[in-house]
Amino acid sequence: MADKIHFLPVTPEFVMDVIEKERPDAILLGFGGQTALNCGVGLSRAGAFTKYGVRVLGTPISGIEVTEDRELFKEAMLDIGIACPKSKPAYSLEEARRVVVDIGYPAIMRVAYTLGGRGGGVARSEKELEQIVQRGLNLSMAHQVLIEEYIGHWKQIEYEVMRDSDDNGQIVCNMENVLSMRVHTGDNIVVAPSQTITNREYHMLRSLSLKAARKCGIVGECNMQFALEPKSETYRAIEINARLSRSSALASKATGYPIAYIAAKICLGYTLTELKNKVTGVTTAMFEPSLDYVVVKMPRWDTKKFEGASRVLGTAMKSIGEVMAIGRTFEETVQKAARMLNIRYDGVIRRFLEEDDLDLLKARLKNPTDQIIFDVVEALMVGIPEEEVARLSVIDPWFVNKLKNIVEAYRRVERSGREGVDRDPEILLEAKRLGFSDKQIANAVEIDEDDVRAMRERMEIRPRVKAIDTLAAEWPARTNYPYVTYNGSTDDAKPSDKRKVMVTKR
């Protein structure tokens, strides 16, 4: 659809040459990831936009600089009464050493103008401090590292915010990171909507997100991240991403709300009240989605391909992609997501125990790797109490309890055997509602997968097709965006007599 394409690095030097040649009227910076933001700031500082009369659409350069510069962001938030972690920037190793004396160990290092927490980390000693700070300073466009207090055991909550030039603002999606603050959101298992925060906490953070977006001058969309203390309403604002990100893609898919489309229109000057919600076809875009289902995002890693690569998760992102699953319960949805990772697991339960040494298993919970969700389930299977699993893994007890439900259902299927499952439809139905595949059930009772399917058909245990309408049936949905679940009694989507095509993998 483009009139012309330039295959060039997205750096200020190369993009300035393109601007000089093509003379565009305007430029969008929020749709090219961190690279585009960094490039845009560089072009602005070089005077390219003023020289060639290029207008920045959407969030202005001043807003991008506030959200990307850690110290400017902290000052902006404190100015409007939003709490931030205790922190101080450092521009050299010597300065970092002085800062950490006041903040103490462990301390989190966050690097300005980088993607996915790149260059950052948690320093627990002076040696680690030196390594992380030197690396971070080299990677930062502003040659800045923010050293802040460690709150890795706090909950990590995100809000996807839309705001237009008329100061209309709304939340598209609220998300909770299962693995808490100690793991970067890109490497975290994320569930939408949040499951363990109260209604009061939800609305408190929602209001703060809109307030922060206004302060930073966001026009379009942004992602706001908070840390929330598990046993109180104490919070800290962590950062704003003033661009489309992986979280934006998740929020858009999870809600059916076309974030990129609406954000582009807002950048062009439209307001949320002028644009239509493409899913309902009848409401405006100024209508917050309401979910009557659960969405789980699970990252995918390829660390096995790189010899010597550390599989331990932290504040710097390592995942190379992610899968998303939709269901009616957390148990069902997390099992679906685990299957889609395509790493030889049929769900969150491994076919064979990989570790029965309790001390080693506890150590794996304390130092999470890309196998953390499977390690948690394995710990529950070998008898480690839920409370201890939650404490060691820094995962909210609610999530641990839901994973325990999966383990107990698996044990019931195992004990029942083929005859028990064949005789009692409730056992099979419960397993299907908790996200078990026919193959998982077959392995548990040592029969063929086709035999389980035949049992289901005979018992008339079949999935239902439910539709994502973004508004929890408050308004009729005109877009066909379905998912399949065993937690339902009716179908939202009816079969048609039209000719169909099936695409299969060879």
Side-chain angles (χ1 to χ4, degrees):
M1 293 174 68
D3 294 324
K4 194 179 291 184
I5 298 172
H6 296 267
F7 288 98
L8 296 169
V10 184
T11 62
E13 297 76 22
F14 284 99
V15 176
M16 192 182 297
D17 289 341
V18 175
I19 290 174
E20 183 179 14
K21 182 179 179 181
E22 302 292 349
R23 298 300 176 102
D25 296 316
I27 188 169
L28 282 165
L29 300 177
F31 296 82
Q34 189 67 45
T35 303
L37 290 189
N38 292 355
C39 182
V41 172
L43 287 167
S44 177
R45 290 176 179 175
F49 298 146
T50 302
K51 180 178 179 180
Y52 297 107
V54 179
R55 181 183 170 193
V56 175
L57 300 179
T59 303
I61 292 292
S62 58
I64 294 172
E65 288 179 322
V66 168
T67 59
E68 291 298 319
D69 186 297
R70 300 290 183 176
E71 185 63 10
L72 290 179
F73 175 73
K74 178 184 174 183
E75 290 174 1
M77 294 302 100
L78 294 178
D79 187 50
I80 55 175
I82 295 179
C84 290
K86 182 181 177 183
S87 63
K88 201 168 184 181
Y91 297 87
S92 67
L93 181 57
E94 292 70 27
E95 193 174 1
R97 288 195 181 105
R98 290 195 297 270
V99 171
V100 85
V101 170
D102 180 44
I103 290 178
Y105 290 109
I108 295 179
M109 312 291 146
R110 299 191 188 276
V111 184
Y113 290 97
T114 59
L115 172 67
R118 187 181 178 210
V122 178
R124 293 178 171 82
S125 65
E126 186 172 347
K127 183 179 178 181
E128 289 181 342
L129 177 77
E130 290 177 4
Q131 292 174 344
I132 298 170
V133 169
Q134 287 176 336
R135 181 180 68 215
L137 292 174
N138 290 333
L139 290 171
S140 172
M141 190 175 82
H143 205 66
Q144 178 202 73
V145 173
L146 187 75
I147 303 172
E148 70 181 30
E149 63 178 318
Y150 182 74
I151 47 176
H153 61 289
W154 289 26
K155 296 178 183 181
Q156 187 169 183
I157 310 295
E158 300 179 67
Y159 285 80
E160 202 68 24
V161 184
M162 302 291 296
R163 181 177 178 271
D164 63 28
S165 55
D166 278 0
D167 197 27
N168 296 309
Q170 68 171 14
I171 303 301
V172 174
C173 188
N174 147 262
M175 297 164 277
E176 179 173 0
N177 290 252
V178 175
L179 305 179
S180 67
M181 280 294 300
R182 67 174 180 162
V183 175
H184 188 278
T185 184
D187 283 353
N188 228 302
I189 297 161
V190 180
V191 58
S194 293
Q195 301 294 304
T196 71
I197 65 175
T198 66
N199 187 56
R200 179 183 166 93
E201 288 168 338
Y202 169 85
H203 283 285
M204 174 185 72
L205 298 180
R206 175 190 177 279
S207 298
L208 293 173
S209 297
L210 295 171
K211 190 176 179 182
R214 181 182 300 112
K215 176 66 177 178
C216 295
I218 298 296
V219 177
E221 69 83 43
C222 70
N223 174 263
M224 181 85 192
Q225 296 180 19
F226 290 98
L228 182 66
E229 208 280 323
K231 295 182 179 179
S232 73
E233 293 181 353
T234 305
Y235 73 89
R236 298 286 187 272
I238 303 301
E239 66 178 5
I240 287 181
N241 287 314
R243 57 180 170 82
L244 284 160
S245 63
R246 292 196 342 181
S247 293
S248 310
L250 170 64
S252 190
K253 288 285 186 184
T255 61
Y257 191 101
I259 289 176
Y261 171 83
I262 297 296
K265 290 287 189 180
I266 289 173
C267 291
L268 292 172
Y270 288 91
T271 64
L272 285 165
T273 54
E274 292 176 308
L275 298 169
K276 266 195 175 182
N277 183 319
K278 281 193 158 188
V279 174
T280 62
V282 292
T283 59
T284 67
M286 187 64 190
F287 208 123
E288 294 192 357
S290 178
L291 280 60
D292 59 358
Y293 48 89
V294 177
V295 174
V296 168
K297 177 220 71 173
M298 201 173 285
R300 196 185 190 289
W301 295 267
D302 268 341
T303 49
K304 289 182 179 179
K305 292 182 179 178
F306 302 97
E307 189 175 341
S310 171
R311 298 177 70 172
V312 176
L313 305 180
T315 58
M317 188 174 73
K318 297 180 179 180
S319 63
I320 50 89
E322 58 200 27
V323 300
M324 187 191 88
I326 306 174
R328 306 289 277 192
T329 65
F330 177 75
E331 295 95 329
E332 173 194 14
T333 315
V334 76
Q335 291 248 73
K336 282 183 176 182
R339 273 196 292 281
M340 287 192 288
L341 289 175
N342 195 26
I343 54 172
R344 70 184 171 83
Y345 297 144
D346 301 318
V348 294
I349 295 177
R350 296 180 177 122
R351 288 192 64 183
F352 306 101
L353 288 178
E354 292 192 2
E355 189 57 65
D356 56 4
D357 185 318
L358 295 188
D359 290 335
L360 200 55
L361 195 49
K362 289 176 183 179
R364 283 163 64 162
L365 296 179
K366 289 179 69 176
N367 302 284
T369 68
D370 53 1
Q371 292 286 296
I372 181 61
I373 196 73
F374 306 101
D375 287 338
V376 167
V377 172
E378 196 151 299
L380 294 170
M381 292 192 77
V382 298
I384 299 178
E386 287 180 58
E387 297 77 14
E388 189 172 5
V389 171
R391 178 178 58 80
L392 293 171
S393 64
V394 198
I395 295 176
D396 190 276
W398 188 91
F399 292 113
V400 176
N401 178 257
K402 295 301 178 182
L403 294 172
K404 184 66 178 293
N405 290 344
I406 295 173
V407 170
E408 290 175 345
Y410 185 79
R411 294 296 194 207
R412 279 194 291 274
V413 172
E414 265 190 328
R415 289 194 301 270
S416 300
R418 173 173 185 155
E419 290 185 4
V421 172
D422 196 21
R423 188 170 55 247
D424 188 353
E426 286 301 316
I427 295 174
L428 191 55
L429 180 60
E430 180 197 33
K432 297 304 292 184
R433 285 179 170 171
L434 290 176
F436 284 88
S437 66
D438 290 350
K439 188 175 181 181
Q440 271 180 297
I441 297 167
N443 291 333
V445 297
E446 299 181 340
I447 60 175
D448 191 76
E449 182 181 351
D450 290 339
D451 293 336
V452 175
R453 180 178 176 82
M455 287 180 193
R456 278 201 302 104
E457 292 292 335
R458 179 170 51 79
M459 296 172 182
E460 296 187 349
I461 298 174
R462 299 187 183 93
R464 296 294 183 177
V465 179
K466 309 301 287 186
I468 287 179
D469 61 9
T470 83
L471 302 170
E474 291 181 43
W475 295 85
R478 294 184 180 179
T479 300
N480 184 22
Y481 183 11
Y483 64 97
V484 174
T485 179
Y486 284 85
N487 289 285
S489 56
T490 59
D491 290 302
D492 291 344
K494 303 298 181 185
S496 74
D497 296 327
K498 294 181 180 179
R499 294 185 64 190
K500 303 173 183 70
V501 173
M502 178 180 286
V503 180
T504 61
K505 185 178 179 182
R506 293 186 63 183

